Structures are given as structure tokens and as C-alpha cells.
Amino acid sequence: MLHALLPFVFALLWASSYVAAKVGLIDASPFALVGARLSIAAAAAALLMWLMGRRWPRAKSWPYILLGGALLHGLGLSMTHAALVAVDATPTALVHAFHPILTAALSVGLFNERFAPWQWLGVFLGFVGVLLGVPLSLGSGNLALLALSLFGLTAGTLTLKRFAADVPAFESTSVQLIGGAAMTVVLMLLFETPHWHWTAHFVEALAWNTVAMSIGGMAIYSLMLERYGAGRASSGFFVVPGASAILAMALLGEHLSPMAIAGLAASTIGVVLVWWKPKPN
């Protein structure tokens, strides 16, 4: 039962992170916000490793875990936050709903995983959902940021599955956060003039995304990656768009167009089809 609930717990945490990010971006530049979040999370994870007496992964695993973390946390989150400056939470979550579909499809070639016909239908529906729900009026710059965030999430997941699948979840997450923090600091120094205004809302948003998402959520994600594989580890994303839309409407006052609703429905069904595997008789 606990394992069955993990994707839903992860999805709710991930969905809430879009809302928290929008709140935090009122008082900070995007890369600075992500850099603070990942740096605090990395330090907290290292402290927990010490307090719990956990052993760090073997040295030969570090380059792959750092790379996976740099892509998954650093590039993925940094580009997401840069897009969220101008893009609503729901279209951003909808683009990320294609992440588990793309991850699973690429796993067919990279990890010799097999796809049933209904799973390929899921890939098609997920792609249609993104086309329907993400308006081209966002502009090429914002669309490029969303595409880069999708690339980071997918490439990071596949890297960790291919080269660090044997590393325990919490230990892997702790090293990933170091790689993600390093990547984000580099992006911050190269591409923006960072600023933070430490208001109460900013601190609350930063604390939520650091503790609930970057530490707790990503530990759950790593655990699913370790036990279920790259495709199923991403399965929690199938409820993220809908949950994000509900939270964004309730807390941020965002509204959904009929086309966005159609996109959410198509992507949700697509991810379910990709993830679903009937039990053998």
C-alpha cells in the first residue's frame, strides 16, 4: 500500500512546488531562488547523512550522480523557474507531464524496456496534450525555457537510471543536490544579477520547496527510480498537471481555457497508459 501511494505523494509535493515557486519569484530572481533552495537542501541532506550514520556512495558513482543531479535539479529547476516568471503554473506543469512519457519512450531504446501498443498510444496522447494545452503565445523564449527544463528532467532521470541505479535513494539524492546546487550557482553567476528579498512569503516558499520537495520529494523520486525503473518512477507526474491546476486556481487565481483542460485530460490519460502494465495471469 505504501509503495502504491508513493507516486501520488510525490505528485502532490511536485504540484505544490509550482505554486510555491510563483510566490518565491515575487521576491527573488529565478536562478538565485533555485540556488538558495538547492544549497540549503544539499547542506541539510549532508547533515542528515551524518546524523543517521549513512555512508556516502562510492567514489566511482559520484561523477554520474553529480551529473544526474546537475541535469535533474540544476538545469530542470532553473529553467522551470525562469519560465515561471512569465508563464502560469498550469502550462508549466503540463509540459512536465510529458516528462514521464518521454522518459519511458527513451527507455525502450536505452534500457531494452518493452512498450505495448497502448503505451505508444499514451506517448501520442501526451504529445497531443502538450500541443493543446501549452499556447504558442507564450513566445519562443519561454517555450525554449520549458523545453530545456523538460530536457533536464528527462536526461537527469535517464543518467541516474543508467549509471547509478544501485545507489540507495537517500544517498543518491544527497549527492544529486550537490550537483544541482553547483549547476544553478554557475547559471546564476553567468546569466543573471541575483537578488533576494527575505520577506515572510519568500521564506515560507523557500522552506516548503527546500524541505518538502528538494529533500522529501526527491528522496521519494529516487526510491521509485531505484525500485520501479525510469518509466514508472516518473509515473507520479500523471496527476501533477491536474493537481497543479487546482492549486493554482485556488491559491494564485489562475484560470484554465477549454483548450488547456483538453490538454490536461489528454496528457493525464497518456501518462496513465504509459505507466499501466497489467498483472500477468
Side-chain angles (χ1 to χ4, degrees):
M1 178 64 71
L2 176 62
H3 290 163
L5 290 175
L6 284 179
F8 298 95
V9 174
F10 170 76
L12 289 174
L13 291 174
W14 192 281
S16 69
S17 72
Y18 292 101
V19 176
K22 292 289 285 187
V23 173
L25 286 168
I26 297 173
D27 296 303
S29 54
F31 298 160
L33 175 57
V34 178
R37 166 182 170 179
L38 293 181
S39 297
I40 295 171
L47 178 60
L48 288 173
M49 287 280 290
W50 178 68
L51 291 174
M52 294 187 297
R54 297 285 190 95
R55 292 185 178 181
W56 289 93
R58 292 171 296 177
K60 67 177 184 179
S61 300
W62 273 67
Y64 303 112
I65 305 175
L66 287 172
L67 175 60
L71 291 168
L72 179 63
H73 301 270
L75 184 64
L77 288 180
S78 294
M79 296 302 109
T80 297
H81 282 65
L84 282 169
V85 172
V87 180
D88 284 346
T90 301
T92 305
L94 184 57
V95 170
H96 290 173
F98 194 62
H99 159 55
I101 297 173
L102 182 61
T103 300
L106 291 174
S107 295
V108 173
L110 294 174
F111 306 133
N112 296 319
E113 296 182 6
R114 295 184 178 182
F115 254 29
W118 65 81
Q119 290 176 295
W120 288 115
L121 174 61
V123 173
F124 173 75
L125 286 175
F127 183 68
V128 169
V130 172
L131 291 180
L132 289 175
V134 180
L136 296 178
S137 60
L138 293 178
S140 59
N142 288 321
L143 292 174
L145 290 172
L146 291 174
L148 282 171
S149 71
L150 178 62
F151 169 78
L153 292 172
T154 304
T157 298
L158 293 173
T159 298
L160 294 168
K161 173 60 179 176
R162 173 65 179 84
F163 297 107
D166 60 336
V167 180
F170 189 79
E171 286 81 346
S172 176
T173 301
S174 299
V175 179
Q176 289 172 41
L177 290 169
I178 297 172
M183 166 68 85
T184 307
V185 169
V186 170
L187 292 172
M188 180 183 71
L189 295 175
L190 290 177
F191 296 111
E192 75 177 14
T193 301
H195 69 270
W196 302 268
H197 298 298
W198 293 86
T199 64
H201 287 156
F202 172 75
V203 172
E204 291 168 359
L206 178 62
W208 177 260
N209 275 352
T210 300
V211 177
M213 190 59 231
S214 287
I215 297 177
M218 294 314 298
I220 292 173
Y221 184 75
S222 295
L223 178 61
M224 293 191 296
L225 182 66
E226 174 187 331
R227 296 201 174 190
Y228 303 124
R232 292 189 67 185
S234 304
S235 63
F237 283 90
F238 81 89
V239 297
V240 168
S244 297
I246 293 171
L247 290 174
M249 284 190 293
L251 301 176
L252 301 177
E254 293 185 6
H255 299 285
L256 294 178
S257 67
M259 199 69 87
I261 294 174
L264 286 169
S267 290
T268 300
I269 295 171
V271 179
V272 170
L273 288 174
V274 168
W275 179 68
W276 178 67
K277 292 181 181 179
K279 294 182 179 179
N281 296 324

